[in-house]
Amino acid sequence: MANISETASANRRDVLTSAVIAATAAAAGAAMAPAVAEAQPTAPPAAGLGGAPTSRIFWQVPTTSGVVEGIANGNVKEFKGIPYGAPTSGANRYAPPKKPVAWKGVRNCIGYGPISPQTPSNLASDYSMMIGWDRHVGPGGMGEDCLNLNVWTPSVNDAGRRPVLVSYHGGGWTTGSGNGPMYDGAQLARLNDVVVVTVNHRLAANGYVHLGAFHPELASAGNCGVMDMVASLEWVRDNIERFGGDPKRVMIFGQSGGGSKTSTMLAVPSAKGLFSRAAVQSGSTLRQATPDEAAKEAEKFLKACGLTTKNAADIRKLSWQQILEAQAKSGAAFRPVVDGKVLPHHPFDPSAPEESREVPVIISTTLHDAALRLTNFDLTWDQAGALFTQRFGAKGPQILAAYRQRNPKLTPFLAQAEAFTDQTRGNSMRQAERKAALGGAPAYMYVWDWATPSFGGKFGAVHGHDVDATFHLYRNAMCGSGVPEGRLMADRAAATWAAFAATGNPNNPSIPNWAPYDARTRATMVFDSNMRVVNDYRGDMVKMIADATGNRANA
């Protein structure tokens, strides 16, 4: 196995005693070993641009599969590419995830592991460049055997029982990874004394193609990626205490596709009890694919593979590269299927899921979510008028006038972005209302209004803007690359995430008092320079557009 060295080799650093190695080997695949003995530094602390670790550079932790070695960056210990599942190639393709294969010795977990096969982002897209989405493909490599995760923690083997934040990345159900620059957990762990975990799992045609509709041997194919996420939480339950975390205080969260994943996990029976808080950022998902819908998409994909429903099992003979090529040209949509087993019902339709009744949830959108897919930055007001009429009919001019009156400084580009976002914002409201109506743990709602200064500020408070802030990545472009206001917004968002992970309540000294959401008040935290709580925030705009389009479900 790559990146593994035997402790018995002559040039291996002797940083674990033979007794600890023996205990760890006995623990692999079973109960955890006793605490690892502390070792003396093997090199002097780094200085200057180095991380200047407080005691030593390399740190080792026993897991249920073997010992992993990470590296210190200041007071944060980083472990990357830790397997939480066995390889998913060959006979394991489209099978439920299996436990990792145990290893001997010490596994090097300093660099990222492979990510699920996917196509790179568009280099011509300013939005893709701003969020660094092209940087997913490369670090760690790519391939089918992608069941690995990354851990950032202030300390290990100390029984610290810190809150644990598990991130499921965005990118729909098709692209992205836990290795991306917007999911680096170091600053969140460093400044908030929490343990951060990001996860890689099967995507798109590797994780969500409903081949079970045609071949019983492939019954799990439509929800492989969902089962992978459950397996990652089982790994956290069994191992995170060694990394300084509390397995009883686990928060799952994600933005965009990650929000859809989180919405879905709230309804997965096998995930029940593996997490105790959740947050859905700009990804509120009420329904997933029905078996009939998923089967139609699977047929498109099989055709692109040169296969039929009768010989679907032959897909295991193709390389992962051939599968990715077919995925790209098929035009098929990939998402989980309501199969009656892994996902027994739609996540939030017709009501919030009973499986997570006692899990408090944060639900959010951004002011300009829709701007991620808009490129007409030079839009004029005359053109905007025509666009609003085309989109909203006879009431288009009235709607545009309402947006201009609400904010006279709005550009035509951002006026359309706000309106298009408000047209779909009802999904988050319905999700929050249904969660509140369930009568268990509360829901909390926020809207991210602080506009990114990056790329001349043209994107506003765009989709994904709050991700960097919740990870406390004030250095990233979205937060203004270190500008004071961006650092302040990151302070607020990260502190809120840490408080929610610790207690199930997001309130903390950096924000005003935040009441739970209900259908009567619709209390909404507005994340902006002027932090405030507004009842039924943007509800008037959402209702106006819903009335104009006849889509009352979005009101």
Side-chain angles (χ1 to χ4, degrees), residues 5-253:
S5 59
E6 295 298 323
T7 54
S9 64
N11 62 352
R12 180 66 192 169
R13 294 179 302 276
D14 185 17
V15 293
L16 286 180
T17 65
S18 59
V20 173
I21 293 295
T24 302
M32 297 293 279
V36 174
E38 292 292 328
Q40 295 301 311
T42 58
L49 289 177
T54 54
S55 59
R56 67 169 187 265
I57 298 173
F58 300 103
W59 295 79
Q60 297 178 352
V61 178
T63 73
T64 49
S65 300
V67 177
V68 296
E69 182 172 77
I71 192 167
N73 188 350
N75 68 335
V76 175
K77 285 73 180 172
E78 303 179 349
F79 299 80
K80 299 175 180 177
I82 304 175
Y84 67 85
T88 53
S89 54
N92 287 342
R93 181 182 286 174
Y94 298 123
K98 297 177 174 60
K99 295 294 183 183
V101 178
W103 58 85
K104 296 180 181 179
V106 178
R107 185 182 184 100
N108 182 318
C109 288
I110 293 174
Y112 286 120
I115 67 172
S116 185
Q118 58 191 268
T119 54
S121 68
N122 185 355
L123 291 173
S125 165
D126 277 358
Y127 179 76
S128 293
M129 296 301 98
M130 183 170 65
I131 66 173
W133 208 250
D134 58 308
R135 292 172 59 192
H136 288 272
V137 175
M142 179 189 291
E144 281 187 273
D145 300 334
C146 61
L147 304 192
N148 61 81
L149 51 77
N150 312 304
V151 179
W152 291 264
T153 178
S155 188
V156 297
N157 306 312
D158 67 344
R161 290 193 167 270
R162 297 167 181 83
V164 181
L165 296 97
V166 178
S167 164
Y168 293 113
H169 64 80
W173 296 85
T174 305
T175 67
S177 77
N179 303 355
M182 63 200 307
Y183 305 114
D184 187 314
Q187 295 290 357
L188 181 56
R190 180 178 77 90
L191 295 167
N192 294 275
D193 196 35
V194 296
V195 179
V196 182
V197 180
T198 66
V199 180
N200 290 316
H201 56 85
R202 283 174 281 186
L203 298 171
N206 291 87
Y208 307 101
V209 57
H210 187 39
L211 300 176
F214 319 119
H215 202 293
E217 186 181 332
L218 302 172
S220 299
N223 282 321
C224 284
V226 173
M227 291 185 280
D228 293 346
M229 287 185 280
V230 174
S232 73
L233 291 175
E234 292 173 340
W235 184 95
V236 168
R237 176 196 63 197
D238 297 340
N239 294 280
I240 206 64
E241 188 173 354
R242 291 292 183 198
F243 293 84
D246 185 351
K248 296 187 181 301
R249 291 193 295 169
V250 175
M251 171 183 169
I252 64 171
F253 69 102

Side-chain angles (χ1 to χ4, degrees), residues 276-490:
S276 53
R277 307 86 161 84
V280 177
Q281 299 168 276
S282 299
S284 293
T285 298
L286 309 182
R287 296 174 60 85
Q288 289 292 9
T290 66
D292 286 345
E293 290 169 340
K296 290 178 182 178
E297 300 303 316
E299 283 193 68
K300 293 181 189 176
F301 169 67
L302 285 173
K303 183 178 180 180
C305 290
L307 300 172
T308 68
T309 58
K310 294 182 179 180
N311 65 350
D314 287 347
I315 196 167
R316 285 179 169 155
K317 298 177 182 178
L318 303 181
S319 68
W320 68 262
Q321 290 92 337
Q322 289 173 305
I323 288 177
L324 183 57
E325 293 276 10
Q327 171 187 313
K329 70 180 181 181
S330 69
F334 300 97
R335 57 177 174 151
V337 57
V338 179
D339 62 357
K341 184 179 178 182
V342 176
L343 185 60
H345 53 79
H346 291 292
F348 277 82
D349 188 59
S351 60
E354 284 285 346
E355 288 85 352
S356 53
R357 169 185 282 272
E358 301 308 320
V359 176
V361 182
I362 293 175
I363 297 167
S364 75
T365 55
T366 73
L367 183 60
H368 303 116
D369 263 321
L372 87 157
R373 291 190 174 92
L374 301 174
T375 58
N376 54 343
F377 300 107
D378 58 352
L379 188 72
T380 66
W381 285 118
D382 287 342
Q383 292 169 336
L387 189 63
F388 272 57
T389 298
Q390 179 184 17
R391 184 108 173 191
F392 305 123
K395 292 187 177 179
Q398 176 187 341
I399 293 172
L400 179 57
Y403 278 91
R404 296 187 71 175
Q405 182 178 7
R406 187 184 186 104
N407 181 3
K409 296 182 180 179
L410 208 59
T411 65
F413 173 84
L414 291 180
Q416 66 168 341
E418 278 191 26
F420 294 177
T421 302
D422 285 336
Q423 190 174 11
T424 59
R425 201 182 301 280
N427 277 350
S428 64
M429 294 177 173
R430 290 203 302 281
Q431 185 179 44
E433 288 172 4
R434 291 173 183 179
K435 173 63 178 174
L438 194 61
Y444 297 87
M445 174 74 79
Y446 78 80
V447 176
W448 185 272
D449 272 24
W450 187 69
T452 174
S454 184
F455 282 64
K458 66 182 181 181
F459 284 102
V462 69
H463 188 75
H465 188 0
D466 48 343
V467 177
D468 295 273
T470 52
F471 275 87
H472 215 292
L473 294 173
Y474 55 85
R475 70 174 176 181
N476 283 6
M478 283 287 229
C479 284
S481 302
V483 298
E485 194 172 28
R487 295 185 74 138
L488 175 61
M489 295 305 298

